[in-house]
Short mmCIF file of all heavy atoms in Angstrom, two decimals:
data_model
loop_
_atom_site.label_atom_id
_atom_site.label_comp_id
_atom_site.label_asym_id
_atom_site.label_seq_id
_atom_site.Cartn_x
_atom_site.Cartn_y
_atom_site.Cartn_z
N THR A 84 -2.12 -2.90 5.91
CA THR A 84 -2.60 -1.62 5.30
C THR A 84 -3.71 -1.09 6.19
O THR A 84 -4.11 -1.78 7.10
CB THR A 84 -3.29 -1.89 3.87
OG1 THR A 84 -4.47 -2.62 4.12
CG2 THR A 84 -2.34 -2.67 2.96
N ALA A 85 -4.12 0.16 5.90
CA ALA A 85 -5.30 0.65 6.57
C ALA A 85 -6.46 -0.26 6.11
O ALA A 85 -6.39 -0.90 5.04
CB ALA A 85 -5.58 2.06 6.16
N ILE A 86 -7.53 -0.32 7.00
CA ILE A 86 -8.69 -1.05 6.51
C ILE A 86 -9.72 -0.07 5.92
O ILE A 86 -9.88 1.06 6.46
CB ILE A 86 -9.28 -1.93 7.64
CG1 ILE A 86 -9.44 -1.06 8.90
CG2 ILE A 86 -8.40 -3.08 7.96
CD1 ILE A 86 -10.27 -1.77 10.06
N ASP A 87 -10.22 -0.42 4.75
CA ASP A 87 -11.08 0.62 4.03
C ASP A 87 -12.50 0.62 4.56
O ASP A 87 -13.10 -0.31 4.93
CB ASP A 87 -11.11 0.14 2.59
CG ASP A 87 -9.73 0.09 1.96
OD1 ASP A 87 -8.91 1.04 2.23
OD2 ASP A 87 -9.41 -0.87 1.21
N TYR A 88 -13.02 1.88 4.58
CA TYR A 88 -14.44 2.08 4.91
C TYR A 88 -15.33 1.42 3.81
O TYR A 88 -14.99 1.55 2.59
CB TYR A 88 -14.82 3.56 4.92
CG TYR A 88 -14.22 4.27 6.13
CD1 TYR A 88 -13.52 5.52 6.02
CD2 TYR A 88 -14.42 3.85 7.43
CE1 TYR A 88 -13.12 6.20 7.11
CE2 TYR A 88 -13.97 4.54 8.51
CZ TYR A 88 -13.32 5.71 8.33
OH TYR A 88 -12.80 6.41 9.45
N VAL A 89 -16.42 0.87 4.28
CA VAL A 89 -17.30 0.24 3.34
C VAL A 89 -18.45 1.14 2.88
O VAL A 89 -19.48 0.66 2.47
CB VAL A 89 -17.88 -1.10 3.83
CG1 VAL A 89 -16.78 -2.11 4.03
CG2 VAL A 89 -18.61 -0.91 5.17
N ASN A 90 -18.19 2.47 2.91
CA ASN A 90 -19.24 3.36 2.38
C ASN A 90 -19.05 3.88 1.05
O ASN A 90 -19.51 4.93 0.67
CB ASN A 90 -19.46 4.51 3.47
CG ASN A 90 -18.14 5.34 3.56
OD1 ASN A 90 -17.07 4.83 3.25
ND2 ASN A 90 -18.24 6.56 4.00
N HIS A 94 -11.23 2.79 -5.08
CA HIS A 94 -10.67 3.59 -6.18
C HIS A 94 -9.19 3.50 -6.17
O HIS A 94 -8.63 2.67 -5.44
CB HIS A 94 -11.17 5.05 -6.07
CG HIS A 94 -10.77 5.76 -4.82
ND1 HIS A 94 -9.48 5.99 -4.40
CD2 HIS A 94 -11.57 6.27 -3.82
CE1 HIS A 94 -9.46 6.69 -3.26
NE2 HIS A 94 -10.73 6.82 -2.84
N ILE A 95 -8.52 4.23 -7.05
CA ILE A 95 -7.08 4.06 -7.20
C ILE A 95 -6.31 4.31 -5.94
O ILE A 95 -5.28 3.64 -5.73
CB ILE A 95 -6.60 4.92 -8.42
CG1 ILE A 95 -7.13 4.22 -9.69
CG2 ILE A 95 -5.10 5.10 -8.46
CD1 ILE A 95 -6.94 5.01 -10.97
N GLY A 96 -6.75 5.24 -5.14
CA GLY A 96 -6.08 5.44 -3.88
C GLY A 96 -6.01 4.19 -2.99
O GLY A 96 -4.96 3.87 -2.44
N HIS A 97 -7.14 3.51 -2.89
CA HIS A 97 -7.20 2.25 -2.12
C HIS A 97 -6.23 1.21 -2.81
O HIS A 97 -5.50 0.49 -2.13
CB HIS A 97 -8.58 1.66 -2.08
CG HIS A 97 -9.57 2.64 -1.42
ND1 HIS A 97 -10.63 3.07 -2.07
CD2 HIS A 97 -9.63 3.19 -0.18
CE1 HIS A 97 -11.35 3.89 -1.24
NE2 HIS A 97 -10.75 3.98 -0.12
N ALA A 98 -6.32 1.17 -4.13
CA ALA A 98 -5.56 0.11 -4.81
C ALA A 98 -4.05 0.36 -4.65
O ALA A 98 -3.27 -0.56 -4.39
CB ALA A 98 -5.88 0.13 -6.32
N TYR A 99 -3.69 1.64 -4.66
CA TYR A 99 -2.22 1.95 -4.51
C TYR A 99 -1.69 1.50 -3.17
O TYR A 99 -0.61 0.91 -3.12
CB TYR A 99 -2.06 3.54 -4.63
CG TYR A 99 -0.68 4.01 -4.19
CD1 TYR A 99 0.45 3.63 -4.95
CD2 TYR A 99 -0.49 4.74 -3.05
CE1 TYR A 99 1.76 4.00 -4.55
CE2 TYR A 99 0.75 5.12 -2.65
CZ TYR A 99 1.88 4.74 -3.38
OH TYR A 99 3.11 5.12 -3.02
N GLU A 100 -2.46 1.77 -2.15
CA GLU A 100 -1.98 1.33 -0.78
C GLU A 100 -1.74 -0.17 -0.71
O GLU A 100 -0.77 -0.61 -0.09
CB GLU A 100 -2.96 1.81 0.29
CG GLU A 100 -2.51 1.57 1.72
CD GLU A 100 -3.44 2.26 2.69
OE1 GLU A 100 -3.42 3.53 2.75
OE2 GLU A 100 -4.14 1.52 3.35
N LYS A 101 -2.66 -0.89 -1.30
CA LYS A 101 -2.45 -2.39 -1.31
C LYS A 101 -1.25 -2.74 -2.08
O LYS A 101 -0.47 -3.63 -1.73
CB LYS A 101 -3.71 -3.11 -1.90
CG LYS A 101 -5.07 -2.63 -1.37
CD LYS A 101 -5.22 -2.96 0.09
CE LYS A 101 -6.58 -2.44 0.58
NZ LYS A 101 -6.81 -1.05 0.35
N THR A 124 -11.40 -4.57 5.93
CA THR A 124 -12.41 -3.47 5.77
C THR A 124 -12.92 -3.04 7.15
O THR A 124 -12.96 -3.88 8.11
CB THR A 124 -13.65 -3.94 4.98
OG1 THR A 124 -13.97 -5.31 5.25
CG2 THR A 124 -13.33 -3.81 3.48
N ASP A 125 -13.22 -1.76 7.21
CA ASP A 125 -13.67 -1.07 8.40
C ASP A 125 -15.17 -0.82 8.28
O ASP A 125 -15.56 -0.06 7.36
CB ASP A 125 -12.92 0.30 8.42
CG ASP A 125 -13.09 1.07 9.71
OD1 ASP A 125 -13.92 0.67 10.56
OD2 ASP A 125 -12.44 2.18 9.84
N GLU A 126 -15.99 -1.46 9.03
CA GLU A 126 -17.43 -1.62 8.69
C GLU A 126 -18.42 -0.97 9.53
O GLU A 126 -19.61 -0.96 9.18
CB GLU A 126 -17.68 -3.11 8.46
CG GLU A 126 -16.69 -3.79 7.54
CD GLU A 126 -17.03 -5.22 7.22
OE1 GLU A 126 -18.13 -5.71 7.55
OE2 GLU A 126 -16.15 -5.89 6.57
N PHE A 153 -14.25 -4.97 -2.10
CA PHE A 153 -12.87 -4.65 -1.78
C PHE A 153 -12.00 -5.92 -1.83
O PHE A 153 -10.89 -5.92 -2.33
CB PHE A 153 -12.71 -3.99 -0.39
CG PHE A 153 -12.92 -2.51 -0.42
CD1 PHE A 153 -14.15 -1.97 -0.14
CD2 PHE A 153 -11.83 -1.65 -0.73
CE1 PHE A 153 -14.34 -0.60 -0.15
CE2 PHE A 153 -12.01 -0.31 -0.74
CZ PHE A 153 -13.24 0.25 -0.49
N VAL A 302 -15.56 4.83 16.10
CA VAL A 302 -14.51 4.88 15.13
C VAL A 302 -13.13 4.31 15.50
O VAL A 302 -12.89 3.15 15.22
CB VAL A 302 -14.27 6.36 14.66
CG1 VAL A 302 -13.25 6.41 13.50
CG2 VAL A 302 -15.58 6.92 14.10
N TRP A 303 -12.24 5.04 16.11
CA TRP A 303 -10.83 4.64 16.17
C TRP A 303 -10.56 3.46 17.07
O TRP A 303 -9.72 2.64 16.83
CB TRP A 303 -9.91 5.79 16.37
CG TRP A 303 -9.90 6.69 15.24
CD1 TRP A 303 -10.51 7.98 15.13
CD2 TRP A 303 -9.37 6.44 13.94
NE1 TRP A 303 -10.34 8.46 13.86
CE2 TRP A 303 -9.68 7.55 13.10
CE3 TRP A 303 -8.66 5.29 13.36
CZ2 TRP A 303 -9.31 7.62 11.77
CZ3 TRP A 303 -8.31 5.40 12.05
CH2 TRP A 303 -8.63 6.51 11.28
N ASP A 305 -12.32 1.01 17.57
CA ASP A 305 -12.73 -0.14 16.85
C ASP A 305 -11.75 -0.42 15.75
O ASP A 305 -11.17 -1.51 15.69
CB ASP A 305 -14.18 0.12 16.30
CG ASP A 305 -14.71 -1.04 15.46
OD1 ASP A 305 -14.03 -1.97 15.13
OD2 ASP A 305 -15.95 -0.92 15.09
N ALA A 306 -11.50 0.54 14.88
CA ALA A 306 -10.76 0.35 13.63
C ALA A 306 -9.27 -0.01 13.90
O ALA A 306 -8.74 -0.97 13.39
CB ALA A 306 -10.80 1.57 12.75
N LEU A 307 -8.63 0.75 14.78
CA LEU A 307 -7.17 0.52 14.96
C LEU A 307 -6.79 -0.80 15.49
O LEU A 307 -5.79 -1.44 15.19
CB LEU A 307 -6.58 1.62 15.88
CG LEU A 307 -6.50 3.02 15.24
CD1 LEU A 307 -6.36 4.08 16.36
CD2 LEU A 307 -5.34 3.11 14.28
N VAL A 308 -7.70 -1.36 16.33
CA VAL A 308 -7.45 -2.59 17.05
C VAL A 308 -7.39 -3.79 16.00
O VAL A 308 -6.81 -4.84 16.32
CB VAL A 308 -8.48 -2.86 18.10
CG1 VAL A 308 -8.38 -4.27 18.69
CG2 VAL A 308 -8.34 -1.83 19.25
N ASN A 309 -7.87 -3.59 14.76
CA ASN A 309 -7.82 -4.66 13.75
C ASN A 309 -6.39 -5.23 13.60
O ASN A 309 -6.22 -6.41 13.34
CB ASN A 309 -8.36 -4.18 12.39
CG ASN A 309 -7.29 -3.57 11.51
OD1 ASN A 309 -6.62 -4.35 10.78
ND2 ASN A 309 -7.06 -2.31 11.60
N TYR A 310 -5.40 -4.35 13.68
CA TYR A 310 -4.06 -4.81 13.45
C TYR A 310 -3.60 -5.88 14.40
O TYR A 310 -2.81 -6.72 14.12
CB TYR A 310 -3.08 -3.59 13.52
CG TYR A 310 -3.33 -2.42 12.58
CD1 TYR A 310 -3.36 -1.12 13.06
CD2 TYR A 310 -3.60 -2.66 11.24
CE1 TYR A 310 -3.59 -0.01 12.24
CE2 TYR A 310 -3.82 -1.60 10.42
CZ TYR A 310 -3.81 -0.31 10.89
OH TYR A 310 -4.09 0.79 10.07
N VAL A 327 1.11 0.44 6.85
CA VAL A 327 1.13 1.32 5.70
C VAL A 327 -0.22 2.09 5.61
O VAL A 327 -1.26 1.43 5.59
CB VAL A 327 1.31 0.49 4.36
CG1 VAL A 327 1.26 1.38 3.15
CG2 VAL A 327 2.61 -0.31 4.41
N ILE A 328 -0.11 3.40 5.64
CA ILE A 328 -1.39 4.23 5.70
C ILE A 328 -1.20 5.48 4.85
O ILE A 328 -0.08 5.85 4.45
CB ILE A 328 -1.69 4.69 7.11
CG1 ILE A 328 -0.54 5.50 7.68
CG2 ILE A 328 -2.06 3.55 8.01
CD1 ILE A 328 -0.93 6.31 8.92
N GLY A 329 -2.31 6.14 4.57
CA GLY A 329 -2.21 7.43 3.87
C GLY A 329 -2.10 8.59 4.85
O GLY A 329 -2.31 8.43 6.00
N LYS A 330 -1.64 9.71 4.31
CA LYS A 330 -1.28 10.82 5.18
C LYS A 330 -2.45 11.46 5.94
O LYS A 330 -2.21 12.11 6.95
CB LYS A 330 -0.57 11.94 4.35
CG LYS A 330 -1.44 12.55 3.26
CD LYS A 330 -0.68 13.60 2.55
CE LYS A 330 -1.62 14.37 1.58
NZ LYS A 330 -0.95 15.39 0.77
N ASP A 331 -3.66 11.19 5.54
CA ASP A 331 -4.83 11.73 6.16
C ASP A 331 -5.11 11.08 7.47
O ASP A 331 -5.90 11.66 8.32
CB ASP A 331 -6.09 11.72 5.27
CG ASP A 331 -6.33 10.36 4.67
OD1 ASP A 331 -5.33 9.68 4.29
OD2 ASP A 331 -7.46 9.92 4.53
N ILE A 332 -4.58 9.90 7.71
CA ILE A 332 -4.96 9.24 8.98
C ILE A 332 -3.74 9.02 9.89
O ILE A 332 -3.73 8.10 10.73
CB ILE A 332 -5.68 7.90 8.73
CG1 ILE A 332 -4.94 6.98 7.79
CG2 ILE A 332 -7.12 8.18 8.15
CD1 ILE A 332 -5.62 5.61 7.58
N PRO A 336 -4.79 9.78 14.55
CA PRO A 336 -5.10 8.37 14.84
C PRO A 336 -3.86 7.44 14.98
O PRO A 336 -3.75 6.80 16.01
CB PRO A 336 -6.00 7.91 13.76
CG PRO A 336 -6.42 9.13 13.01
CD PRO A 336 -5.54 10.28 13.35
N HIS A 337 -3.08 7.29 13.91
CA HIS A 337 -2.04 6.30 13.97
C HIS A 337 -0.83 6.70 14.77
O HIS A 337 -0.07 5.84 15.30
CB HIS A 337 -1.60 5.86 12.58
CG HIS A 337 -2.60 4.92 11.91
ND1 HIS A 337 -3.77 5.36 11.25
CD2 HIS A 337 -2.61 3.60 11.77
CE1 HIS A 337 -4.41 4.32 10.84
NE2 HIS A 337 -3.72 3.20 11.06
N HIS A 359 2.00 7.17 3.07
CA HIS A 359 2.05 7.59 1.63
C HIS A 359 1.20 8.76 1.40
O HIS A 359 0.37 9.14 2.20
CB HIS A 359 1.68 6.40 0.73
CG HIS A 359 0.24 5.93 0.95
ND1 HIS A 359 -0.84 6.62 0.43
CD2 HIS A 359 -0.25 4.84 1.53
CE1 HIS A 359 -1.90 6.00 0.78
NE2 HIS A 359 -1.64 4.89 1.48
N GLY A 360 1.41 9.44 0.23
CA GLY A 360 0.56 10.56 -0.11
C GLY A 360 -0.66 10.18 -0.87
O GLY A 360 -1.08 9.01 -0.87
N TRP A 361 -1.26 11.16 -1.54
CA TRP A 361 -2.51 10.88 -2.21
C TRP A 361 -2.41 10.87 -3.77
O TRP A 361 -1.62 11.62 -4.29
CB TRP A 361 -3.47 12.08 -1.96
CG TRP A 361 -4.06 12.03 -0.59
CD1 TRP A 361 -4.08 11.01 0.34
CD2 TRP A 361 -4.63 13.15 0.13
NE1 TRP A 361 -4.65 11.37 1.48
CE2 TRP A 361 -5.01 12.67 1.38
CE3 TRP A 361 -4.87 14.48 -0.23
CZ2 TRP A 361 -5.62 13.50 2.33
CZ3 TRP A 361 -5.48 15.31 0.67
CH2 TRP A 361 -5.85 14.83 1.98
N TRP A 362 -3.19 10.07 -4.33
CA TRP A 362 -3.43 10.16 -5.75
C TRP A 362 -4.46 11.26 -5.98
O TRP A 362 -5.51 11.27 -5.31
CB TRP A 362 -3.91 8.83 -6.38
CG TRP A 362 -2.76 7.95 -6.50
CD1 TRP A 362 -2.30 6.96 -5.64
CD2 TRP A 362 -1.82 7.95 -7.56
NE1 TRP A 362 -1.18 6.43 -6.10
CE2 TRP A 362 -0.84 6.96 -7.28
CE3 TRP A 362 -1.66 8.70 -8.75
CZ2 TRP A 362 0.26 6.73 -8.08
CZ3 TRP A 362 -0.53 8.46 -9.55
CH2 TRP A 362 0.35 7.46 -9.24
N THR A 363 -4.16 12.18 -6.84
CA THR A 363 -5.08 13.25 -7.11
C THR A 363 -5.49 13.17 -8.57
O THR A 363 -4.86 12.52 -9.39
CB THR A 363 -4.37 14.67 -6.84
OG1 THR A 363 -3.22 14.69 -7.70
CG2 THR A 363 -3.99 14.79 -5.46
N ALA A 367 -6.90 17.52 -7.26
CA ALA A 367 -7.77 17.32 -6.10
C ALA A 367 -7.68 15.87 -5.70
O ALA A 367 -7.57 14.97 -6.52
CB ALA A 367 -9.23 17.64 -6.49
N LYS A 368 -7.72 15.63 -4.37
CA LYS A 368 -7.66 14.30 -3.82
C LYS A 368 -8.75 13.40 -4.46
O LYS A 368 -9.90 13.80 -4.54
CB LYS A 368 -7.84 14.26 -2.28
CG LYS A 368 -7.70 12.83 -1.76
CD LYS A 368 -8.04 12.77 -0.21
CE LYS A 368 -7.88 11.35 0.23
NZ LYS A 368 -8.91 10.92 1.12
N MET A 369 -8.33 12.25 -4.85
CA MET A 369 -9.33 11.33 -5.42
C MET A 369 -10.12 10.77 -4.24
O MET A 369 -9.57 10.29 -3.28
CB MET A 369 -8.56 10.15 -6.11
CG MET A 369 -9.38 9.55 -7.20
SD MET A 369 -8.46 8.22 -7.87
CE MET A 369 -7.33 9.10 -8.99
N SER A 370 -11.41 10.87 -4.25
CA SER A 370 -12.24 10.33 -3.19
C SER A 370 -13.63 10.00 -3.61
O SER A 370 -14.14 10.65 -4.59
CB SER A 370 -12.23 11.24 -1.92
OG SER A 370 -13.16 12.28 -2.13
N LYS A 371 -14.29 9.15 -2.90
CA LYS A 371 -15.63 8.81 -3.30
C LYS A 371 -16.56 9.96 -3.15
O LYS A 371 -17.46 10.18 -3.84
CB LYS A 371 -16.13 7.58 -2.51
CG LYS A 371 -15.76 7.61 -1.01
CD LYS A 371 -15.55 6.23 -0.47
CE LYS A 371 -14.84 6.31 0.88
NZ LYS A 371 -14.16 5.11 1.20
N MET A 399 4.98 7.23 -8.13
CA MET A 399 4.77 7.86 -6.83
C MET A 399 6.04 7.71 -6.01
O MET A 399 6.51 6.63 -5.76
CB MET A 399 3.61 7.18 -6.11
CG MET A 399 3.25 7.70 -4.76
SD MET A 399 2.34 9.24 -4.89
CE MET A 399 0.65 8.71 -4.57
N1 MSP B 819 -11.22 3.20 7.65
C1 MSP B 819 -10.21 4.19 7.77
C2 MSP B 819 -8.82 3.61 8.13
C3 MSP B 819 -8.80 2.82 9.36
S1 MSP B 819 -7.20 2.12 9.62
C4 MSP B 819 -7.29 1.44 11.17
C5 MSP B 819 -10.06 4.91 6.42
N2 MSP B 819 -10.62 4.37 5.36
S2 MSP B 819 -10.58 4.92 3.85
O1 MSP B 819 -11.34 3.96 3.10
O2 MSP B 819 -11.10 6.27 3.83
O3 MSP B 819 -9.10 4.96 3.43
C6 MSP B 819 -8.32 3.84 3.44
C7 MSP B 819 -6.91 4.14 3.04
O4 MSP B 819 -6.88 4.62 1.72
C8 MSP B 819 -6.25 5.27 3.88
O5 MSP B 819 -4.94 4.96 4.24
C9 MSP B 819 -6.29 6.45 2.95
O6 MSP B 819 -5.27 7.36 3.17
C10 MSP B 819 -6.15 5.80 1.59
N3 MSP B 819 -6.62 6.67 0.52
C11 MSP B 819 -7.93 7.07 0.35
N4 MSP B 819 -7.91 7.98 -0.67
C12 MSP B 819 -6.68 8.09 -1.24
C13 MSP B 819 -6.10 8.70 -2.33
N5 MSP B 819 -6.82 9.45 -3.11
N6 MSP B 819 -4.75 8.44 -2.59
C14 MSP B 819 -4.08 7.53 -1.88
N7 MSP B 819 -4.58 6.95 -0.81
C15 MSP B 819 -5.75 7.46 -0.24
O7 MSP B 819 -9.46 5.98 6.37
#
Side-chain angles (χ1 to χ4, degrees):
T84 67
I86 49 172
D87 300 317
Y88 286 132
V89 293
N90 58 340
H94 58 65
I95 286 170
H97 301 119
Y99 169 68
E100 187 171 289
K101 311 296 180 302
T124 40
D125 186 357
E126 307 187 9
F153 275 94
V302 185
W303 291 108
D305 179 351
L307 288 162
V308 172
N309 89 87
Y310 302 134
V327 178
I328 58 163
K330 64 179 184 180
D331 49 325
I332 54 174
H337 282 81
H359 63 75
W361 286 341
W362 282 96
T363 56
K368 181 186 182 223
M369 205 181 280
S370 81
K371 42 212 164 201
M399 183 74 104

